[in-house]
Amino acid sequence: MRSTLLSSALWVSSIAAQATSNTTSVPGPDADGKYTISGTNIRASFVPYGASISNLFLNDTSGIERDIVTGWDNASYYSIDKQHPHFGGVPGRYANRIKNSTFSIDGTSYNILPNEHPTPEHPDGVDTLHGGPDGWDWRNWTVVAYTENSITFSLVDEAGNQGFPGEVISYVTYTLGNMTWDFSMTAFSLEQKTPIMLSSHVYWNLDGFANNETATALNHTLHLPYGGQRVDTDSILIPTGNILANEKDGLNDFWSKPKQIGANFTNPDLLGNCGGNCTGYDTCYLTNRPTPYAWDALPVATLSSSWSGISVNIYTDQDAFQVYSCGGQNGSVALKSTQGLFNVTDRPRVVEQYSCIVMEVEDWIDAINHPEWGRDSKQIFGPEDGPYVLKARYEFGLDG
């Protein structure tokens, strides 16, 4: 035990030292509470709340700058908006849903705080989404490193918070390159075995919500070349344990060829595809790459818009990919001042239903309640297991 704790301390110390050594005299947050970094032909702003990306600027094929992610103009509003749609943050300590807000590790059962689908019998909810009512993307992270093209956030999650066992420390680093956005997420369990699964919960609109032909993102084209299977879910999006094949040319076929998000929206069978009474996608596609593979060699997903010409190839070491077509957005969240159309009567400056796409790199959802899937080594971590690690690269182009 002593050597295990020592190795944990050394690992955390080394990460902290690396972060400190990367710090320069670059100024702190701007008047809106944001930290901005820049690469070649790309610029992004971040806020400590949820370690969230709040702006991502690129020029489209017409040379017009577009801000292609949702967020708010001022960092203070992230903690004010009670809807909290997880704009651009890091959900944790366990992303996506946990059935019945419970799980077991080595025969010990844990009950964590619910926060989704309240019922009269369970007014707080019947399951846990994105780590609970005070998940990681509801908290202010600490900026521990900040350079012209990179920023690192850190969070200490105390034992028992939201009901999870053991203390966890996490570091998230965002870096911009030549039309690229890289991020790495590491987390280490310092005391006992606990579930850890992170992601990046960014809402994308590659037109910057400025497409004068449509208010939606259903014109965006998605390709998941390794996404031939998906996790089956029930009416409240809890995995059933079944793994389904995505039939070629079917509703969930984004693997055989690129397809517009809205291609099947006139098909009545799409109703219920993203939960009860929901039309669209809120789907965990499995990324089945031939092994061995280098995570940064081939993209697991490509999203593009022919209107702006902007495209993004996504590379990751994760084995699942959640796609959400923003069916739950209802126009109650305003666009930022850097987005959308102005003075157009039939285009309110809001995030409308289906006007965005969420793409989450992650592991198999709720696998902690499905040991038959064999994902424990990817999702259960103790001090002796080394860090949880997530890596991803978003490579932008103008070939959409």
Side-chain angles (χ1 to χ4, degrees):
M1 176 63 72
R2 182 175 299 171
S3 62
T4 298
L5 293 176
L6 177 60
S7 63
S8 301
L10 289 174
W11 180 84
V12 172
S13 297
S14 67
I15 295 294
Q18 292 173 31
T20 302
S21 67
N22 288 333
T23 304
T24 73
S25 58
V26 175
D30 61 20
D32 291 320
K34 298 185 179 186
Y35 295 79
T36 297
I37 61 176
S38 299
T40 302
N41 298 318
I42 187 171
R43 188 173 84 259
S45 297
F46 300 86
V47 298
Y49 193 85
S52 303
I53 185 170
S54 62
N55 307 81
L56 184 57
F57 298 101
L58 297 163
N59 285 355
D60 65 14
T61 51
S62 298
I64 300 172
E65 186 174 75
R66 305 294 183 189
D67 182 0
I68 60 175
V69 302
T70 59
W72 283 281
D73 282 322
N74 191 284
S76 65
Y77 207 74
Y78 282 77
S79 60
I80 294 173
D81 192 284
K82 300 304 181 183
Q83 298 178 94
H84 196 287
H86 309 281
F87 278 168
V90 178
R93 124 178 9 180
Y94 193 89
N96 217 287
R97 293 170 176 85
I98 298 177
K99 181 180 181 178
N100 296 330
S101 302
T102 187
F103 57 87
S104 296
I105 299 177
D106 294 339
T108 300
S109 295
Y110 297 92
N111 294 297
I112 56 175
L113 298 181
N115 65 331
E116 190 183 43
H117 299 298
T119 67
E121 297 80 14
H122 302 280
D124 294 326
V126 298
D127 65 272
T128 297
L129 174 65
H130 294 324
D134 191 29
W136 288 10
D137 60 345
W138 288 77
R139 304 186 210 171
N140 279 304
W141 293 53
T142 300
V143 178
V144 296
Y146 181 30
T147 70
E148 291 185 1
N149 75 323
S150 182
I151 188 168
T152 298
F153 295 94
S154 178
L155 180 74
V156 176
D157 191 23
E158 296 179 351
N161 200 321
Q162 310 303 290
F164 287 99
E167 183 176 84
V168 170
I169 185 170
S170 181
Y171 293 89
V172 172
T173 297
Y174 301 118
T175 305
L176 297 184
N178 185 1
M179 293 279 283
T180 59
W181 175 34
D182 284 59
F183 57 81
S184 65
M185 301 180 181
T186 56
F188 202 98
S189 175
L190 301 177
E191 297 173 340
Q192 63 187 108
K193 289 183 178 181
T194 188
I196 303 175
M197 185 175 80
L198 307 181
S199 188
S200 174
H201 205 277
V202 180
Y203 290 64
W204 300 87
N205 183 303
L206 299 183
D207 299 333
F209 296 91
N211 188 330
N212 58 358
E213 299 171 359
T214 176
T216 78
L218 299 180
N219 67 310
H220 287 31
T221 296
L222 178 66
H223 188 207
L224 305 175
Y226 306 109
Q229 293 178 306
R230 70 187 187 275
V231 175
D232 183 39
T233 57
D234 64 16
S235 62
I236 59 171
L237 298 178
I238 301 298
T240 65
N242 296 324
I243 303 300
L244 303 179
N246 297 323
E247 181 182 356
K248 189 175 184 297
D249 298 322
L251 300 177
N252 288 283
D253 174 20
F254 292 97
W255 60 268
S256 68
K257 59 182 178 295
K259 181 175 74 174
Q260 284 196 345
I261 297 291
N264 297 120
F265 266 62
T266 58
N267 188 330
D269 291 340
L270 198 63
L271 177 63
N273 193 64
C274 49
N277 200 33
C278 175
T279 297
Y281 301 94
D282 198 349
T283 308
C284 182
Y285 296 96
L286 303 184
T287 302
N288 295 312
R289 288 167 284 199
T291 55
Y293 63 84
W295 72 267
D296 55 353
L298 295 170
V300 301
T302 298
L303 185 71
S304 62
S305 167
S306 59
W307 186 85
S308 67
I310 295 174
S311 64
V312 57
N313 289 322
I314 301 175
Y315 305 78
T316 185
D317 61 349
Q318 299 298 290
D319 292 331
F321 194 89
Q322 185 89 10
V323 175
Y324 170 53
S325 56
C326 289
Q329 308 315 120
N330 59 11
S332 59
V333 176
L335 294 173
K336 290 172 292 183
S337 60
T338 52
Q339 297 177 313
L341 301 173
F342 293 83
N343 303 316
V344 179
T345 55
D346 61 345
R347 288 290 294 275
R349 292 188 42 75
V350 295
V351 180
E352 299 189 31
Q353 187 180 42
Y354 305 126
S355 68
C356 46
I357 304 295
V358 179
M359 302 182 292
E360 303 166 59
V361 295
E362 60 193 1
D363 201 60
W364 297 27
I365 60 174
D366 198 32
I368 54 174
N369 281 312
H370 292 281
E372 70 274 16
W373 291 347
R375 308 302 298 179
D376 281 5
S377 65
K378 302 279 189 178
Q379 300 193 11
I380 305 294
F381 293 86
E384 69 282 0
D385 297 316
Y388 164 94
V389 176
L390 180 154
K391 296 180 181 179
R393 172 173 298 149
Y394 291 61
E395 181 181 77
F396 298 93
L398 295 175
D399 53 359

